[in-house]
mmCIF file of all heavy atoms in Angstrom:
data_model
loop_
_atom_site.group_PDB
_atom_site.id
_atom_site.type_symbol
_atom_site.label_atom_id
_atom_site.label_comp_id
_atom_site.label_asym_id
_atom_site.label_seq_id
_atom_site.Cartn_x
_atom_site.Cartn_y
_atom_site.Cartn_z
ATOM 1 N N ILE F 210 104.018 110.430 95.091
ATOM 2 C CA ILE F 210 102.655 110.201 95.472
ATOM 3 C C ILE F 210 101.878 111.495 95.593
ATOM 4 O O ILE F 210 100.701 111.612 95.155
ATOM 5 C CB ILE F 210 102.566 109.460 96.847
ATOM 6 C CG1 ILE F 210 103.188 108.095 96.680
ATOM 7 C CG2 ILE F 210 101.141 109.319 97.322
ATOM 8 C CD1 ILE F 210 103.343 107.318 97.970
ATOM 9 N N TRP F 213 100.431 112.880 92.304
ATOM 10 C CA TRP F 213 99.588 112.096 91.372
ATOM 11 C C TRP F 213 98.384 112.784 90.919
ATOM 12 O O TRP F 213 97.578 113.267 91.749
ATOM 13 C CB TRP F 213 99.154 110.795 92.082
ATOM 14 C CG TRP F 213 100.243 109.762 92.245
ATOM 15 C CD1 TRP F 213 101.539 109.900 91.873
ATOM 16 C CD2 TRP F 213 100.130 108.519 92.863
ATOM 17 N NE1 TRP F 213 102.257 108.783 92.220
ATOM 18 C CE2 TRP F 213 101.422 107.914 92.889
ATOM 19 C CE3 TRP F 213 99.035 107.808 93.463
ATOM 20 C CZ2 TRP F 213 101.614 106.634 93.392
ATOM 21 C CZ3 TRP F 213 99.323 106.593 94.012
ATOM 22 C CH2 TRP F 213 100.566 106.009 93.968
ATOM 23 N N HIS F 218 96.017 108.146 88.330
ATOM 24 C CA HIS F 218 94.837 107.361 88.785
ATOM 25 C C HIS F 218 94.228 106.558 87.646
ATOM 26 O O HIS F 218 93.827 105.410 87.878
ATOM 27 C CB HIS F 218 93.875 108.232 89.501
ATOM 28 C CG HIS F 218 94.282 108.549 90.880
ATOM 29 N ND1 HIS F 218 94.013 107.785 91.986
ATOM 30 C CD2 HIS F 218 95.083 109.591 91.356
ATOM 31 C CE1 HIS F 218 94.603 108.297 93.050
ATOM 32 N NE2 HIS F 218 95.247 109.398 92.698
ATOM 33 N N MET F 221 96.164 103.415 87.205
ATOM 34 C CA MET F 221 95.801 102.391 88.225
ATOM 35 C C MET F 221 94.435 101.733 87.940
ATOM 36 O O MET F 221 94.263 100.551 88.084
ATOM 37 C CB MET F 221 95.812 103.004 89.602
ATOM 38 C CG MET F 221 97.235 103.378 90.079
ATOM 39 S SD MET F 221 97.234 104.002 91.741
ATOM 40 C CE MET F 221 96.630 105.642 91.584
ATOM 41 N N LEU F 222 93.518 102.607 87.519
ATOM 42 C CA LEU F 222 92.155 102.106 87.200
ATOM 43 C C LEU F 222 92.146 101.154 86.000
ATOM 44 O O LEU F 222 91.237 100.338 85.904
ATOM 45 C CB LEU F 222 91.191 103.239 86.959
ATOM 46 C CG LEU F 222 90.885 104.136 88.217
ATOM 47 C CD1 LEU F 222 90.094 105.338 87.786
ATOM 48 C CD2 LEU F 222 90.108 103.381 89.244
ATOM 49 N N ARG F 227 95.458 94.317 89.096
ATOM 50 C CA ARG F 227 95.141 95.019 90.309
ATOM 51 C C ARG F 227 93.604 95.098 90.511
ATOM 52 O O ARG F 227 93.093 94.750 91.530
ATOM 53 C CB ARG F 227 95.708 96.434 90.206
ATOM 54 C CG ARG F 227 95.620 97.275 91.483
ATOM 55 C CD ARG F 227 96.018 98.753 91.211
ATOM 56 N NE ARG F 227 94.896 99.566 90.870
ATOM 57 C CZ ARG F 227 94.280 100.421 91.706
ATOM 58 N NH1 ARG F 227 94.747 100.574 92.933
ATOM 59 N NH2 ARG F 227 93.213 101.067 91.310
ATOM 60 N N ASP F 247 87.933 103.048 103.558
ATOM 61 C CA ASP F 247 88.859 102.928 102.410
ATOM 62 C C ASP F 247 89.918 103.967 102.572
ATOM 63 O O ASP F 247 89.683 105.183 102.399
ATOM 64 C CB ASP F 247 87.968 103.230 101.131
ATOM 65 C CG ASP F 247 88.782 103.130 99.862
ATOM 66 O OD1 ASP F 247 89.968 102.741 99.917
ATOM 67 O OD2 ASP F 247 88.225 103.440 98.789
ATOM 68 N N LEU F 248 91.082 103.493 103.013
ATOM 69 C CA LEU F 248 92.190 104.411 103.371
ATOM 70 C C LEU F 248 93.033 104.697 102.127
ATOM 71 O O LEU F 248 93.622 103.785 101.597
ATOM 72 C CB LEU F 248 93.015 103.820 104.486
ATOM 73 C CG LEU F 248 93.965 104.759 105.191
ATOM 74 C CD1 LEU F 248 94.417 104.135 106.517
ATOM 75 C CD2 LEU F 248 95.184 105.151 104.382
ATOM 76 N N GLY F 249 93.000 105.933 101.654
ATOM 77 C CA GLY F 249 93.654 106.261 100.408
ATOM 78 C C GLY F 249 92.712 105.927 99.257
ATOM 79 O O GLY F 249 93.010 105.204 98.348
ATOM 80 N N THR F 250 91.530 106.512 99.379
ATOM 81 C CA THR F 250 90.405 106.104 98.416
ATOM 82 C C THR F 250 90.642 106.530 96.997
ATOM 83 O O THR F 250 90.084 105.880 96.080
ATOM 84 C CB THR F 250 89.058 106.653 99.007
ATOM 85 O OG1 THR F 250 88.004 106.022 98.335
ATOM 86 C CG2 THR F 250 88.945 108.171 98.760
ATOM 87 N N GLY F 251 91.465 107.535 96.768
ATOM 88 C CA GLY F 251 91.679 107.986 95.368
ATOM 89 C C GLY F 251 90.402 108.363 94.720
ATOM 90 O O GLY F 251 89.621 109.181 95.237
ATOM 91 N N THR F 252 90.102 107.697 93.592
ATOM 92 C CA THR F 252 88.878 107.988 92.852
ATOM 93 C C THR F 252 87.672 107.203 93.466
ATOM 94 O O THR F 252 86.572 107.244 92.927
ATOM 95 C CB THR F 252 88.980 107.583 91.391
ATOM 96 O OG1 THR F 252 89.388 106.184 91.307
ATOM 97 C CG2 THR F 252 90.007 108.443 90.644
ATOM 98 N N ILE F 254 87.166 103.893 93.925
ATOM 99 C CA ILE F 254 86.737 102.604 93.317
ATOM 100 C C ILE F 254 86.594 101.496 94.336
ATOM 101 O O ILE F 254 85.610 100.737 94.296
ATOM 102 C CB ILE F 254 87.652 102.218 92.117
ATOM 103 C CG1 ILE F 254 87.048 100.995 91.400
ATOM 104 C CG2 ILE F 254 89.037 101.990 92.517
ATOM 105 C CD1 ILE F 254 85.703 101.223 90.738
ATOM 106 N N LEU F 255 87.518 101.364 95.248
ATOM 107 C CA LEU F 255 87.488 100.245 96.203
ATOM 108 C C LEU F 255 86.318 100.448 97.191
ATOM 109 O O LEU F 255 85.633 99.481 97.535
ATOM 110 C CB LEU F 255 88.815 100.077 96.964
ATOM 111 C CG LEU F 255 90.099 100.017 96.102
ATOM 112 C CD1 LEU F 255 91.313 99.760 96.960
ATOM 113 C CD2 LEU F 255 89.996 98.951 95.022
ATOM 114 N N ILE F 270 89.146 108.176 103.071
ATOM 115 C CA ILE F 270 90.149 109.164 103.411
ATOM 116 C C ILE F 270 91.118 109.319 102.224
ATOM 117 O O ILE F 270 91.485 108.342 101.625
ATOM 118 C CB ILE F 270 91.024 108.729 104.568
ATOM 119 C CG1 ILE F 270 90.149 108.487 105.864
ATOM 120 C CG2 ILE F 270 92.122 109.693 104.903
ATOM 121 C CD1 ILE F 270 90.942 107.981 107.092
ATOM 122 N N ASP F 271 91.443 110.578 101.880
ATOM 123 C CA ASP F 271 92.574 110.752 100.949
ATOM 124 C C ASP F 271 93.209 112.141 101.201
ATOM 125 O O ASP F 271 92.494 113.099 101.527
ATOM 126 C CB ASP F 271 92.221 110.639 99.473
ATOM 127 C CG ASP F 271 93.415 110.152 98.649
ATOM 128 O OD1 ASP F 271 94.363 110.974 98.484
ATOM 129 O OD2 ASP F 271 93.386 108.984 98.205
ATOM 130 N N VAL F 272 94.584 112.213 100.973
ATOM 131 C CA VAL F 272 95.256 113.435 101.179
ATOM 132 C C VAL F 272 95.132 114.330 99.932
ATOM 133 O O VAL F 272 95.403 115.526 100.029
ATOM 134 C CB VAL F 272 96.710 113.127 101.562
ATOM 135 C CG1 VAL F 272 97.432 112.447 100.438
ATOM 136 C CG2 VAL F 272 97.458 114.342 102.028
ATOM 137 N N ASN F 273 94.731 113.723 98.838
ATOM 138 C CA ASN F 273 94.652 114.496 97.570
ATOM 139 C C ASN F 273 93.268 115.023 97.320
ATOM 140 O O ASN F 273 92.320 114.222 96.990
ATOM 141 C CB ASN F 273 95.084 113.517 96.424
ATOM 142 C CG ASN F 273 95.123 114.195 95.052
ATOM 143 O OD1 ASN F 273 94.398 115.150 94.803
ATOM 144 N ND2 ASN F 273 96.058 113.741 94.260
ATOM 145 N N ILE F 276 91.476 114.571 93.790
ATOM 146 C CA ILE F 276 91.068 113.197 93.459
ATOM 147 C C ILE F 276 89.918 112.742 94.373
ATOM 148 O O ILE F 276 88.971 112.068 93.953
ATOM 149 C CB ILE F 276 92.287 112.234 93.544
ATOM 150 C CG1 ILE F 276 93.379 112.630 92.568
ATOM 151 C CG2 ILE F 276 91.891 110.778 93.370
ATOM 152 C CD1 ILE F 276 93.021 112.538 91.126
ATOM 153 N N GLY F 298 92.779 114.630 104.038
ATOM 154 C CA GLY F 298 93.992 114.779 104.876
ATOM 155 C C GLY F 298 94.773 113.503 104.932
ATOM 156 O O GLY F 298 94.343 112.469 104.399
ATOM 157 N N MET F 299 95.915 113.556 105.653
ATOM 158 C CA MET F 299 96.654 112.330 105.922
ATOM 159 C C MET F 299 95.934 111.574 107.014
ATOM 160 O O MET F 299 95.459 112.164 107.986
ATOM 161 C CB MET F 299 98.069 112.674 106.416
ATOM 162 C CG MET F 299 99.062 113.003 105.306
ATOM 163 S SD MET F 299 99.325 111.713 104.098
ATOM 164 C CE MET F 299 100.468 110.630 104.962
ATOM 165 N N SER F 300 95.905 110.238 106.901
ATOM 166 C CA SER F 300 95.111 109.467 107.854
ATOM 167 C C SER F 300 95.547 109.707 109.316
ATOM 168 O O SER F 300 94.726 109.656 110.202
ATOM 169 C CB SER F 300 95.286 107.970 107.474
ATOM 170 O OG SER F 300 96.656 107.639 107.353
ATOM 171 N N TYR F 301 96.843 109.961 109.503
ATOM 172 C CA TYR F 301 97.393 110.196 110.847
ATOM 173 C C TYR F 301 96.617 111.361 111.571
ATOM 174 O O TYR F 301 96.488 111.412 112.744
ATOM 175 C CB TYR F 301 98.828 110.652 110.869
ATOM 176 C CG TYR F 301 99.797 109.702 110.200
ATOM 177 C CD1 TYR F 301 100.447 110.000 109.003
ATOM 178 C CD2 TYR F 301 100.099 108.442 110.816
ATOM 179 C CE1 TYR F 301 101.390 109.133 108.420
ATOM 180 C CE2 TYR F 301 101.026 107.605 110.233
ATOM 181 C CZ TYR F 301 101.619 107.906 109.071
ATOM 182 O OH TYR F 301 102.515 107.060 108.525
ATOM 183 N N GLU F 315 94.934 100.324 99.300
ATOM 184 C CA GLU F 315 95.889 99.878 98.278
ATOM 185 C C GLU F 315 96.880 101.022 98.234
ATOM 186 O O GLU F 315 96.803 101.942 97.438
ATOM 187 C CB GLU F 315 95.102 99.763 96.930
ATOM 188 C CG GLU F 315 95.938 99.082 95.845
ATOM 189 C CD GLU F 315 97.111 99.957 95.354
ATOM 190 O OE1 GLU F 315 98.155 100.082 96.026
ATOM 191 O OE2 GLU F 315 96.910 100.561 94.299
ATOM 192 N N ILE F 316 97.790 100.938 99.169
ATOM 193 C CA ILE F 316 98.868 101.907 99.279
ATOM 194 C C ILE F 316 100.229 101.212 99.234
ATOM 195 O O ILE F 316 101.159 101.599 99.921
ATOM 196 C CB ILE F 316 98.702 102.850 100.524
ATOM 197 C CG1 ILE F 316 98.567 102.035 101.842
ATOM 198 C CG2 ILE F 316 97.533 103.781 100.326
ATOM 199 C CD1 ILE F 316 98.599 102.907 103.081
ATOM 200 N N GLU F 324 105.309 102.959 99.481
ATOM 201 C CA GLU F 324 104.362 104.087 99.657
ATOM 202 C C GLU F 324 104.102 104.230 101.196
ATOM 203 O O GLU F 324 103.100 104.773 101.578
ATOM 204 C CB GLU F 324 103.121 103.827 98.853
ATOM 205 C CG GLU F 324 103.447 104.000 97.360
ATOM 206 C CD GLU F 324 102.392 103.616 96.369
ATOM 207 O OE1 GLU F 324 101.207 103.584 96.768
ATOM 208 O OE2 GLU F 324 102.680 103.386 95.190
ATOM 209 N N ILE F 329 101.530 103.866 108.217
ATOM 210 C CA ILE F 329 100.177 104.371 107.958
ATOM 211 C C ILE F 329 99.191 103.277 108.436
ATOM 212 O O ILE F 329 98.167 103.563 109.164
ATOM 213 C CB ILE F 329 99.988 104.629 106.449
ATOM 214 C CG1 ILE F 329 100.879 105.802 106.010
ATOM 215 C CG2 ILE F 329 98.490 104.890 106.143
ATOM 216 C CD1 ILE F 329 100.969 106.029 104.493
ATOM 217 N N PHE F 507 106.195 111.226 102.394
ATOM 218 C CA PHE F 507 106.499 109.941 101.746
ATOM 219 C C PHE F 507 107.945 109.662 101.419
ATOM 220 O O PHE F 507 108.227 108.943 100.503
ATOM 221 C CB PHE F 507 105.603 109.817 100.481
ATOM 222 C CG PHE F 507 104.137 109.648 100.797
ATOM 223 C CD1 PHE F 507 103.274 110.712 100.706
ATOM 224 C CD2 PHE F 507 103.635 108.439 101.187
ATOM 225 C CE1 PHE F 507 101.936 110.590 101.017
ATOM 226 C CE2 PHE F 507 102.294 108.317 101.543
ATOM 227 C CZ PHE F 507 101.437 109.385 101.434
HETATM 228 C C1 LIG C 34 97.609 103.689 95.000
HETATM 229 S S1 LIG C 34 96.438 104.959 95.232
HETATM 230 C C2 LIG C 34 95.000 104.035 95.301
HETATM 231 C C3 LIG C 34 93.726 104.741 95.064
HETATM 232 C C4 LIG C 34 92.458 103.936 95.123
HETATM 233 N N1 LIG C 34 92.261 103.314 96.451
HETATM 234 C C5 LIG C 34 92.468 102.867 94.035
HETATM 235 O O1 LIG C 34 92.652 101.676 94.397
HETATM 236 O O2 LIG C 34 92.396 103.244 92.895
HETATM 237 C C6 LIG C 34 96.729 105.455 96.879
HETATM 238 C C7 LIG C 34 95.992 106.732 97.326
HETATM 239 O O3 LIG C 34 96.159 106.784 98.693
HETATM 240 C C8 LIG C 34 96.385 108.136 99.116
HETATM 241 N N2 LIG C 34 97.158 108.062 100.369
HETATM 242 C C9 LIG C 34 98.222 107.295 100.634
HETATM 243 N N3 LIG C 34 98.532 107.312 101.905
HETATM 244 C C10 LIG C 34 97.597 108.113 102.520
HETATM 245 C C11 LIG C 34 97.412 108.498 103.862
HETATM 246 N N4 LIG C 34 98.228 108.072 104.843
HETATM 247 N N5 LIG C 34 96.373 109.286 104.146
HETATM 248 C C12 LIG C 34 95.580 109.697 103.173
HETATM 249 N N6 LIG C 34 95.692 109.359 101.855
HETATM 250 C C13 LIG C 34 96.723 108.561 101.547
HETATM 251 C C14 LIG C 34 97.081 108.779 97.952
HETATM 252 O O4 LIG C 34 96.875 110.168 97.850
HETATM 253 C C15 LIG C 34 96.424 107.996 96.738
HETATM 254 O O5 LIG C 34 95.291 108.768 96.271
#
Side-chain angles (χ1 to χ4, degrees):
I210 298 173
W213 288 359
H218 281 272
M221 292 185 284
L222 292 172
R227 187 188 92 103
D247 181 5
L248 196 163
T250 195
T252 55
I254 186 66
L255 308 184
I270 301 177
D271 207 291
V272 65
N273 184 328
I276 299 298
M299 280 299 281
S300 52
Y301 301 114
E315 192 289 82
I316 52 172
E324 290 172 19
I329 295 170
F507 290 101

